Coordinates of all heavy atoms in Angstrom, one line a residue:
I271 N 0.8 -1.2 0.0 CA 0.0 0.0 0.0 C 0.9 1.2 0.0 O 0.6 2.2 -0.8 CB -0.9 0.0 1.2 CG1 -1.7 -1.3 1.4 CG2 -1.9 1.2 1.2 CD1 -2.4 -1.8 0.2
A272 N 1.9 1.2 0.8 CA 2.8 2.3 0.9 C 3.5 2.5 -0.5 O 3.7 3.7 -0.9 CB 3.9 2.1 2.0
C273 N 3.9 1.4 -1.1 CA 4.5 1.5 -2.4 C 3.6 2.2 -3.5 O 4.0 3.0 -4.3 CB 4.9 0.1 -2.9 SG 5.8 0.1 -4.5
V274 N 2.3 1.8 -3.4 CA 1.3 2.4 -4.4 C 1.3 3.9 -4.1 O 1.3 4.8 -5.0 CB 0.0 1.8 -4.2 CG1 -1.1 2.6 -5.0 CG2 0.0 0.4 -4.8
Q275 N 1.2 4.3 -2.8 CA 1.1 5.7 -2.4 C 2.4 6.5 -2.8 O 2.3 7.6 -3.3 CB 0.9 5.9 -0.9 CG -0.5 5.4 -0.5 CD -0.7 5.4 1.0 OE1 0.1 4.8 1.7 NE2 -1.8 6.0 1.4
R276 N 3.5 5.9 -2.6 CA 4.8 6.5 -2.9 C 5.1 6.7 -4.4 O 5.5 7.7 -4.9 CB 5.9 5.8 -2.2 CG 7.3 6.4 -2.3 CD 8.4 5.7 -1.6 NE 8.0 5.1 -0.3 CZ 7.9 3.8 -0.1 NH1 8.2 2.9 -1.0 NH2 7.5 3.4 1.1
H277 N 4.8 5.6 -5.2 CA 5.2 5.6 -6.6 C 4.1 5.9 -7.5 O 4.3 6.1 -8.7 CB 5.8 4.2 -6.9 CG 7.1 4.0 -6.1 ND1 8.3 4.6 -6.4 CD2 7.3 3.1 -5.1 CE1 9.2 4.2 -5.5 NE2 8.6 3.3 -4.7
Q278 N 2.8 5.8 -7.1 CA 1.7 6.1 -7.9 C 1.7 5.4 -9.3 O 1.8 6.1 -10.3 CB 1.5 7.6 -8.1 CG 1.3 8.3 -6.7 CD 1.1 9.8 -6.9 OE1 1.0 10.3 -7.9 NE2 1.2 10.5 -5.7
P279 N 1.8 4.1 -9.3 CA 1.9 3.4 -10.5 C 0.7 3.5 -11.5 O -0.4 3.8 -11.0 CB 2.1 1.9 -10.1 CG 1.3 1.9 -8.8 CD 1.5 3.2 -8.2
A280 N 0.9 3.2 -12.7 CA -0.2 3.2 -13.7 C -1.0 1.9 -13.6 O -2.2 1.9 -13.9 CB 0.4 3.3 -15.1
V281 N -0.4 0.9 -13.1 CA -1.0 -0.4 -12.9 C -0.3 -1.2 -11.8 O 0.9 -1.0 -11.6 CB -1.0 -1.2 -14.2 CG1 0.3 -1.7 -14.6 CG2 -2.0 -2.4 -14.1
V282 N -1.1 -2.0 -11.0 CA -0.5 -2.8 -9.9 C -0.6 -4.3 -10.3 O -1.7 -4.7 -10.7 CB -1.2 -2.5 -8.6 CG1 -0.8 -3.5 -7.5 CG2 -1.1 -1.1 -8.2
L283 N 0.5 -5.0 -10.2 CA 0.4 -6.5 -10.4 C 0.4 -7.1 -9.0 O 1.3 -6.9 -8.2 CB 1.7 -6.9 -11.1 CG 1.9 -6.3 -12.5 CD1 3.2 -6.8 -13.1 CD2 0.8 -6.5 -13.4
M284 N -0.8 -7.7 -8.7 CA -1.0 -8.2 -7.3 C -1.0 -9.7 -7.2 O -2.0 -10.4 -7.8 CB -2.4 -7.6 -6.9 CG -2.8 -7.9 -5.5 SD -1.7 -7.1 -4.3 CE -2.3 -5.4 -4.5
D285 N 0.0 -10.2 -6.6 CA -0.1 -11.7 -6.2 C -1.1 -11.9 -5.2 O -1.3 -11.1 -4.2 CB 1.3 -12.1 -5.7 CG 1.5 -13.6 -5.7 OD1 0.5 -14.3 -5.6 OD2 2.6 -14.0 -5.7
L286 N -2.0 -12.9 -5.4 CA -3.1 -13.1 -4.4 C -2.6 -13.8 -3.2 O -3.2 -13.7 -2.1 CB -4.2 -13.9 -5.1 CG -4.9 -13.2 -6.3 CD1 -6.0 -14.1 -6.8 CD2 -5.5 -11.9 -5.8
S287 N -1.5 -14.6 -3.3 CA -1.0 -15.3 -2.1 C 0.3 -14.7 -1.6 O 1.4 -15.1 -2.2 CB -0.8 -16.8 -2.5 OG -2.0 -17.4 -2.9
M288 N 0.3 -13.9 -0.7 CA 1.5 -13.2 -0.1 C 1.4 -13.4 1.4 O 0.4 -13.5 2.0 CB 1.5 -11.7 -0.4 CG 1.4 -11.4 -1.9 SD 1.5 -9.6 -2.2 CE 0.0 -9.0 -1.5
P289 N 2.6 -13.5 2.0 CA 2.6 -13.5 3.5 C 2.2 -12.2 4.1 O 2.5 -11.2 3.5 CB 4.1 -13.9 3.8 CG 4.9 -13.4 2.6 CD 3.9 -13.5 1.4
G290 N 1.6 -12.3 5.3 CA 1.3 -11.1 6.0 C 0.0 -10.5 5.6 O -0.9 -10.3 6.4
M291 N -0.2 -10.1 4.3 CA -1.4 -9.6 3.8 C -1.6 -10.2 2.4 O -0.7 -10.0 1.5 CB -1.3 -8.1 3.7 CG -2.6 -7.4 3.1 SD -2.4 -5.6 2.8 CE -1.8 -5.0 4.3
D292 N -2.7 -10.8 2.2 CA -3.0 -11.4 0.8 C -3.4 -10.3 -0.2 O -3.6 -9.2 0.2 CB -4.0 -12.5 0.9 CG -5.4 -12.1 1.3 OD1 -5.8 -11.0 1.1 OD2 -6.1 -13.0 1.9
G293 N -3.4 -10.7 -1.4 CA -3.8 -9.7 -2.5 C -5.2 -9.2 -2.4 O -5.5 -8.1 -2.8
W294 N -6.1 -10.0 -1.8 CA -7.5 -9.5 -1.6 C -7.5 -8.3 -0.7 O -8.1 -7.3 -1.0 CB -8.4 -10.6 -1.1 CG -8.3 -11.9 -1.8 CD1 -7.8 -13.1 -1.4 CD2 -8.7 -12.2 -3.2 NE1 -7.9 -14.1 -2.4 CE2 -8.5 -13.5 -3.5 CE3 -9.4 -11.4 -4.2 CZ2 -8.8 -14.1 -4.7 CZ3 -9.7 -12.0 -5.4 CH2 -9.4 -13.3 -5.6
E295 N -6.9 -8.5 0.4 CA -6.9 -7.4 1.4 C -6.1 -6.2 0.9 O -6.5 -5.0 1.1 CB -6.2 -7.8 2.8 CG -6.2 -6.8 3.8 CD -7.5 -6.2 4.3 OE1 -8.5 -6.9 4.1 OE2 -7.6 -5.1 4.8
A296 N -5.0 -6.4 0.2 CA -4.2 -5.3 -0.3 C -5.0 -4.5 -1.3 O -5.0 -3.3 -1.3 CB -2.9 -5.8 -0.9
T297 N -5.8 -5.2 -2.2 CA -6.6 -4.5 -3.1 C -7.7 -3.7 -2.4 O -8.0 -2.6 -2.8 CB -7.2 -5.6 -4.1 OG1 -6.2 -6.2 -4.8 CG2 -8.1 -4.9 -5.1
R298 N -8.3 -4.3 -1.4 CA -9.3 -3.5 -0.7 C -8.7 -2.3 -0.1 O -9.4 -1.2 -0.1 CB -9.9 -4.4 0.4 CG -11.0 -5.4 -0.1 CD -11.7 -6.1 1.1 NE -10.9 -7.0 1.9 CZ -10.6 -8.2 1.6 NH1 -11.2 -8.8 0.5 NH2 -9.9 -9.0 2.3
R299 N -7.5 -2.4 0.4 CA -6.9 -1.2 1.0 C -6.5 -0.1 -0.1 O -6.7 1.1 0.2 CB -5.7 -1.6 1.8 CG -6.0 -2.3 3.1 CD -4.9 -2.6 3.9 NE -5.2 -3.4 5.1 CZ -4.4 -3.6 6.1 NH1 -3.2 -3.0 6.1 NH2 -4.8 -4.3 7.1
I300 N -6.1 -0.6 -1.2 CA -5.9 0.3 -2.3 C -7.2 1.0 -2.7 O -7.2 2.2 -2.9 CB -5.2 -0.4 -3.5 CG1 -3.8 -0.8 -3.2 CG2 -5.3 0.5 -4.8 CD1 -3.2 -1.8 -4.2
R301 N -8.3 0.3 -2.8 CA -9.5 0.8 -3.2 C -10.1 1.8 -2.1 O -10.9 2.7 -2.5 CB -10.6 -0.3 -3.4 CG -10.3 -1.2 -4.6 CD -10.4 -0.4 -5.9 NE -9.9 -1.2 -7.0 CZ -8.8 -0.9 -7.7 NH1 -8.1 0.2 -7.5 NH2 -8.5 -1.7 -8.7
S302 N -9.6 1.8 -0.9 CA -10.0 2.7 0.1 C -9.1 3.9 0.2 O -9.4 4.8 1.0 CB -10.0 2.0 1.5 OG -8.7 1.8 2.0
L303 N -8.1 4.0 -0.6 CA -7.2 5.2 -0.6 C -8.0 6.4 -1.2 O -9.0 6.3 -1.9 CB -6.0 5.0 -1.5 CG -5.0 4.0 -1.0 CD1 -3.9 3.7 -2.1 CD2 -4.4 4.4 0.3
K304 N -7.6 7.6 -0.8 CA -8.3 8.8 -1.3 C -7.7 9.2 -2.7 O -6.5 9.0 -3.0 CB -8.1 9.9 -0.3 CG -8.7 9.6 1.1 CD -9.0 10.8 1.8 CE -9.5 10.5 3.2 NZ -10.5 9.6 3.4
G305 N -8.5 9.8 -3.5 CA -8.1 10.3 -4.8 C -7.9 9.3 -5.8 O -8.5 8.2 -5.7
P306 N -7.2 9.6 -6.9 CA -7.1 8.8 -8.1 C -6.4 7.4 -7.8 O -6.7 6.5 -8.6 CB -6.3 9.6 -9.1 CG -5.7 10.7 -8.4 CD -6.5 10.9 -7.1
L307 N -5.6 7.3 -6.8 CA -5.0 6.0 -6.5 C -6.0 4.9 -6.2 O -5.7 3.8 -6.4 CB -4.0 6.2 -5.4 CG -2.7 6.9 -5.7 CD1 -1.8 7.0 -4.5 CD2 -1.9 6.2 -6.8
A308 N -7.1 5.3 -5.7 CA -8.1 4.3 -5.4 C -8.6 3.6 -6.6 O -9.2 2.5 -6.5 CB -9.3 5.0 -4.7
N309 N -8.4 4.2 -7.8 CA -8.9 3.6 -9.1 C -7.7 3.0 -9.9 O -8.0 2.7 -11.1 CB -9.6 4.7 -9.8 CG -10.8 5.1 -9.1 OD1 -11.6 4.3 -8.6 ND2 -11.0 6.4 -9.0
V310 N -6.5 2.9 -9.4 CA -5.4 2.3 -10.2 C -5.8 0.9 -10.6 O -6.4 0.1 -9.8 CB -4.1 2.4 -9.4 CG1 -4.1 1.5 -8.2 CG2 -2.9 2.0 -10.3
P311 N -5.6 0.5 -11.8 CA -5.9 -0.8 -12.3 C -5.1 -1.8 -11.5 O -3.9 -1.7 -11.3 CB -5.6 -0.9 -13.8 CG -5.6 0.6 -14.2 CD -5.2 1.4 -13.0
V312 N -5.7 -2.9 -11.0 CA -5.0 -4.0 -10.3 C -5.3 -5.3 -11.0 O -6.4 -5.6 -11.3 CB -5.6 -4.1 -8.8 CG1 -4.9 -5.3 -8.1 CG2 -5.4 -2.8 -8.0
L313 N -4.2 -5.9 -11.4 CA -4.2 -7.2 -12.1 C -3.9 -8.3 -11.1 O -2.8 -8.3 -10.5 CB -3.2 -7.3 -13.2 CG -3.5 -6.3 -14.4 CD1 -2.3 -6.4 -15.4 CD2 -4.8 -6.6 -15.0
A314 N -4.7 -9.3 -10.9 CA -4.5 -10.4 -10.0 C -3.5 -11.4 -10.7 O -3.7 -11.7 -11.9 CB -5.8 -11.1 -9.7
L315 N -2.5 -11.8 -10.0 CA -1.6 -12.8 -10.5 C -1.7 -14.0 -9.6 O -1.5 -13.9 -8.4 CB -0.1 -12.3 -10.5 CG 0.2 -11.0 -11.2 CD1 1.6 -10.7 -11.1 CD2 -0.2 -11.1 -12.7
T316 N -2.0 -15.2 -10.2 CA -2.3 -16.4 -9.3 C -2.1 -17.7 -10.1 O -2.1 -17.7 -11.3 CB -3.7 -16.3 -8.8 OG1 -3.9 -17.4 -7.9 CG2 -4.8 -16.3 -9.9
A317 N -1.8 -18.7 -9.3 CA -1.8 -20.0 -9.9 C -3.1 -20.7 -9.9 O -3.3 -21.8 -10.5 CB -0.8 -20.9 -9.1
H318 N -4.1 -20.1 -9.3 CA -5.5 -20.6 -9.2 C -6.3 -20.2 -10.4 O -6.6 -19.0 -10.6 CB -6.2 -20.1 -7.9 CG -5.4 -20.4 -6.7 ND1 -5.2 -21.7 -6.2 CD2 -4.7 -19.6 -5.9 CE1 -4.5 -21.7 -5.1 NE2 -4.1 -20.4 -4.9
A319 N -6.6 -21.2 -11.3 CA -7.3 -20.9 -12.5 C -8.8 -21.2 -12.4 O -9.5 -21.4 -13.4 CB -6.7 -21.6 -13.7
L320 N -9.3 -21.3 -11.2 CA -10.7 -21.7 -10.9 C -11.6 -20.5 -11.3 O -11.3 -19.4 -11.0 CB -10.9 -22.1 -9.5 CG -10.0 -23.3 -9.0 CD1 -10.2 -23.4 -7.5 CD2 -10.4 -24.5 -9.7
P321 N -12.8 -20.9 -11.9 CA -13.7 -19.8 -12.2 C -14.2 -18.9 -11.0 O -14.4 -17.7 -11.2 CB -14.9 -20.6 -12.8 CG -14.4 -21.9 -13.2 CD -13.3 -22.2 -12.3
E322 N -14.3 -19.5 -9.8 CA -14.7 -18.8 -8.7 C -13.6 -17.8 -8.2 O -14.0 -16.7 -7.7 CB -15.2 -19.7 -7.5 CG -14.2 -20.7 -7.1 CD -14.3 -22.0 -7.8 OE1 -14.8 -22.1 -8.9 OE2 -13.8 -23.0 -7.2
I323 N -12.4 -18.1 -8.4 CA -11.3 -17.2 -8.1 C -11.3 -16.0 -9.1 O -11.2 -14.8 -8.7 CB -9.9 -17.9 -8.1 CG1 -9.9 -19.0 -7.1 CG2 -8.8 -16.8 -7.8 CD1 -10.0 -18.6 -5.6
R324 N -11.5 -16.3 -10.3 CA -11.6 -15.3 -11.4 C -12.8 -14.4 -11.1 O -12.7 -13.1 -11.2 CB -11.8 -16.0 -12.7 CG -11.6 -15.1 -13.9 CD -11.8 -16.0 -15.2 NE -10.7 -16.9 -15.4 CZ -9.8 -16.7 -16.3 NH1 -9.9 -15.7 -17.2 NH2 -8.8 -17.5 -16.5
A325 N -13.9 -14.9 -10.7 CA -15.1 -14.1 -10.4 C -14.9 -13.2 -9.2 O -15.3 -12.1 -9.1 CB -16.3 -15.0 -10.2
R326 N -14.2 -13.8 -8.2 CA -13.9 -13.0 -7.0 C -13.0 -11.9 -7.3 O -13.1 -10.8 -6.7 CB -13.3 -13.9 -5.9 CG -13.0 -13.2 -4.6 CD -12.5 -14.0 -3.5 NE -12.1 -13.2 -2.4 CZ -11.4 -13.6 -1.3 NH1 -11.0 -14.9 -1.3 NH2 -11.2 -12.8 -0.3
A327 N -12.0 -12.1 -8.1 CA -11.1 -11.0 -8.5 C -11.8 -9.8 -9.1 O -11.6 -8.7 -8.7 CB -10.0 -11.5 -9.5
E328 N -12.8 -10.1 -9.9 CA -13.6 -9.0 -10.5 C -14.5 -8.3 -9.4 O -14.5 -7.1 -9.3 CB -14.5 -9.5 -11.6 CG -15.3 -8.4 -12.3 CD -16.0 -8.9 -13.5 OE1 -15.6 -9.8 -14.1 OE2 -17.1 -8.2 -13.8
S329 N -15.1 -9.2 -8.5 CA -15.9 -8.6 -7.5 C -15.2 -7.8 -6.5 O -15.7 -6.9 -5.8 CB -16.8 -9.7 -6.8 OG -16.0 -10.5 -6.0
E330 N -13.9 -8.1 -6.3 CA -13.0 -7.4 -5.3 C -12.4 -6.1 -5.9 O -11.7 -5.5 -5.3 CB -11.9 -8.3 -4.9 CG -12.3 -9.5 -4.0 CD -12.5 -9.2 -2.6 OE1 -12.2 -8.1 -2.1 OE2 -13.0 -10.1 -1.8
G331 N -12.8 -5.9 -7.2 CA -12.3 -4.6 -7.8 C -11.0 -4.7 -8.6 O -10.4 -3.7 -8.9
M332 N -10.7 -5.9 -9.0 CA -9.5 -6.1 -9.8 C -9.9 -6.0 -11.3 O -11.0 -6.4 -11.7 CB -8.8 -7.4 -9.5 CG -8.3 -7.5 -8.1 SD -7.5 -9.1 -7.8 CE -7.1 -8.9 -6.1
Q333 N -9.0 -5.4 -12.1 CA -9.3 -5.2 -13.5 C -8.8 -6.3 -14.4 O -9.1 -6.2 -15.6 CB -8.7 -3.8 -14.0 CG -9.5 -2.6 -13.6 CD -9.4 -2.3 -12.1 OE1 -8.4 -2.7 -11.5 NE2 -10.4 -1.7 -11.6
G334 N -8.1 -7.2 -13.9 CA -7.6 -8.3 -14.7 C -7.2 -9.5 -13.9 O -7.1 -9.4 -12.7
Y335 N -7.0 -10.6 -14.5 CA -6.6 -11.9 -13.9 C -5.7 -12.6 -14.8 O -6.1 -12.9 -15.9 CB -8.0 -12.6 -13.7 CG -7.9 -13.9 -13.0 CD1 -8.1 -14.1 -11.7 CD2 -7.6 -15.1 -13.8 CE1 -8.1 -15.3 -11.1 CE2 -7.6 -16.3 -13.2 CZ -7.8 -16.4 -11.8 OH -7.8 -17.7 -11.2
V336 N -4.5 -12.9 -14.3 CA -3.5 -13.6 -15.1 C -3.0 -14.8 -14.3 O -2.7 -14.7 -13.1 CB -2.3 -12.7 -15.5 CG1 -1.3 -13.5 -16.3 CG2 -2.8 -11.5 -16.2
T337 N -3.1 -16.0 -14.9 CA -2.7 -17.2 -14.2 C -1.2 -17.6 -14.5 O -0.7 -17.3 -15.6 CB -3.6 -18.4 -14.6 OG1 -3.6 -18.6 -16.0 CG2 -5.0 -18.2 -14.1
K338 N -0.6 -18.2 -13.5 CA 0.8 -18.6 -13.6 C 0.8 -20.0 -14.2 O -0.2 -20.7 -14.0 CB 1.4 -18.6 -12.2 CG 1.5 -17.3 -11.5 CD 2.0 -17.4 -10.1 CE 1.9 -16.1 -9.3 NZ 2.3 -16.3 -8.0
P339 N 1.8 -20.4 -14.9 CA 2.9 -19.6 -15.3 C 2.5 -18.5 -16.3 O 1.7 -18.7 -17.2 CB 3.9 -20.5 -15.9 CG 3.1 -21.7 -16.4 CD 1.9 -21.7 -15.5
I340 N 3.1 -17.3 -16.1 CA 2.7 -16.1 -16.9 C 3.7 -16.0 -18.1 O 4.9 -15.9 -17.9 CB 2.8 -14.9 -16.0 CG1 1.8 -15.0 -14.9 CG2 2.5 -13.6 -16.8 CD1 2.0 -14.0 -13.8
S341 N 3.1 -15.8 -19.3 CA 3.9 -15.5 -20.4 C 4.0 -14.0 -20.6 O 3.1 -13.3 -20.2 CB 3.3 -16.2 -21.7 OG 2.2 -15.5 -22.1
R342 N 5.1 -13.6 -21.2 CA 5.2 -12.1 -21.4 C 4.1 -11.6 -22.2 O 3.6 -10.5 -21.9 CB 6.6 -11.9 -22.1 CG 6.9 -10.4 -22.4 CD 8.2 -10.2 -23.0 NE 9.2 -10.6 -22.1 CZ 10.5 -10.5 -22.3 NH1 10.9 -10.0 -23.4 NH2 11.3 -10.8 -21.3
A343 N 3.7 -12.3 -23.3 CA 2.6 -11.8 -24.2 C 1.3 -11.7 -23.4 O 0.6 -10.7 -23.6 CB 2.5 -12.7 -25.4
T344 N 1.0 -12.7 -22.6 CA -0.3 -12.6 -21.8 C -0.2 -11.5 -20.8 O -1.2 -10.8 -20.7 CB -0.5 -14.0 -21.1 OG1 -0.6 -15.0 -22.1 CG2 -1.8 -14.0 -20.3
L345 N 0.9 -11.3 -20.2 CA 1.0 -10.2 -19.2 C 0.9 -8.9 -19.8 O 0.1 -8.0 -19.4 CB 2.3 -10.3 -18.4 CG 2.5 -9.3 -17.4 CD1 1.5 -9.3 -16.3 CD2 3.9 -9.4 -16.7
F346 N 1.6 -8.7 -20.9 CA 1.5 -7.4 -21.6 C 0.1 -7.1 -22.2 O -0.4 -6.0 -22.1 CB 2.6 -7.3 -22.7 CG 4.0 -7.2 -22.2 CD1 5.0 -7.3 -23.1 CD2 4.3 -6.9 -20.9 CE1 6.3 -7.1 -22.7 CE2 5.6 -6.8 -20.5 CZ 6.6 -6.9 -21.4
D347 N -0.5 -8.2 -22.6 CA -1.9 -8.0 -23.1 C -2.8 -7.6 -22.0 O -3.7 -6.7 -22.2 CB -2.4 -9.3 -23.8 CG -3.8 -9.2 -24.4 OD1 -4.0 -8.3 -25.2 OD2 -4.6 -10.0 -24.0
A348 N -2.7 -8.2 -20.9 CA -3.6 -7.9 -19.7 C -3.3 -6.5 -19.2 O -4.2 -5.8 -18.9 CB -3.3 -8.9 -18.6
I349 N -2.0 -6.1 -19.2 CA -1.7 -4.7 -18.8 C -2.3 -3.7 -19.7 O -2.9 -2.7 -19.3 CB -0.2 -4.5 -18.7 CG1 0.4 -5.3 -17.5 CG2 0.2 -3.0 -18.5 CD1 1.9 -5.4 -17.4
G350 N -2.2 -4.0 -21.0 CA -2.7 -3.1 -22.0 C -4.2 -2.9 -21.9 O -4.8 -1.8 -22.0
R351 N -4.9 -4.1 -21.7 CA -6.4 -4.0 -21.5 C -6.8 -3.3 -20.3 O -7.7 -2.5 -20.3 CB -7.0 -5.4 -21.5 CG -7.0 -6.0 -22.9 CD -7.9 -7.3 -23.0 NE -7.8 -8.1 -21.8 CZ -6.9 -9.2 -21.7 NH1 -6.1 -9.4 -22.7 NH2 -6.9 -9.9 -20.6
A352 N -6.1 -3.5 -19.2 CA -6.4 -2.8 -17.9 C -6.2 -1.3 -18.1 O -7.0 -0.5 -17.6 CB -5.5 -3.3 -16.8
L353 N -5.1 -0.9 -18.7 CA -4.9 0.5 -18.9 C -5.9 1.2 -19.8 O -6.2 2.3 -19.7 CB -3.5 0.8 -19.4 CG -2.3 0.5 -18.4 CD1 -1.0 0.6 -19.1 CD2 -2.4 1.4 -17.2
A354 N -6.5 0.4 -20.7 CA -7.5 0.9 -21.7 C -8.9 0.8 -21.1 O -9.8 1.2 -21.7 CB -7.4 0.1 -23.0
G355 N -9.0 0.2 -19.9 CA -10.3 0.1 -19.2 C -11.1 -1.1 -19.7 O -12.3 -1.3 -19.4
D356 N -10.5 -2.1 -20.4 CA -11.1 -3.3 -20.8 C -11.0 -4.3 -19.7 O -10.0 -4.7 -19.3 CB -10.4 -3.8 -22.1 CG -11.1 -5.0 -22.7 OD1 -11.9 -5.7 -22.0 OD2 -10.7 -5.3 -23.9
R357 N -12.2 -4.8 -19.2 CA -12.2 -5.7 -18.1 C -12.2 -7.2 -18.4 O -12.4 -8.0 -17.6 CB -13.4 -5.4 -17.2 CG -13.3 -4.0 -16.5 CD -14.4 -3.8 -15.6 NE -14.4 -4.8 -14.5 CZ -13.9 -4.6 -13.3 NH1 -13.4 -3.4 -13.0 NH2 -14.0 -5.5 -12.4
R358 N -12.0 -7.5 -19.7 CA -11.9 -9.0 -20.1 C -10.7 -9.6 -19.3 O -9.7 -8.9 -19.2 CB -11.7 -9.1 -21.6 CG -13.0 -8.8 -22.3 CD -12.8 -9.0 -23.8 NE -11.8 -8.0 -24.2 CZ -10.9 -8.1 -25.2 NH1 -10.9 -9.2 -25.9 NH2 -10.1 -7.2 -25.6
Q359 N -10.8 -10.8 -19.0 CA -9.8 -11.5 -18.2 C -8.8 -12.2 -19.1 O -9.2 -12.7 -20.1 CB -10.4 -12.5 -17.3 CG -11.4 -11.9 -16.3 CD -10.9 -10.9 -15.3 OE1 -9.8 -11.1 -14.8 NE2 -11.6 -9.8 -15.1
A360 N -7.5 -12.2 -18.7 CA -6.5 -13.0 -19.4 C -6.3 -14.3 -18.6 O -6.8 -14.4 -17.5 CB -5.2 -12.2 -19.4
S361 N -5.7 -15.3 -19.2 CA -5.4 -16.5 -18.5 C -4.0 -17.0 -18.9 O -3.4 -16.5 -19.7 CB -6.4 -17.6 -18.7 OG -7.0 -17.5 -20.0

């Protein structure tokens, strides 16, 4: 959260399984920030390709979903769509 506030990125790549604070909670905290940072596109990065995880990512306010292993082309495509406001999911 502090990194997002300090660097004000154009997009956030969010691992869903992190120690201390998972990606779900981190995204909720980003969405609670004041100003334009609350709307920064967040892309979920996960090894879980289940439809319910994908649906949760969208309901939690993430703009994209990329499953591991991640190819460069898939990641760049997902980033481009998120920056353009396209909410279709990558896999």
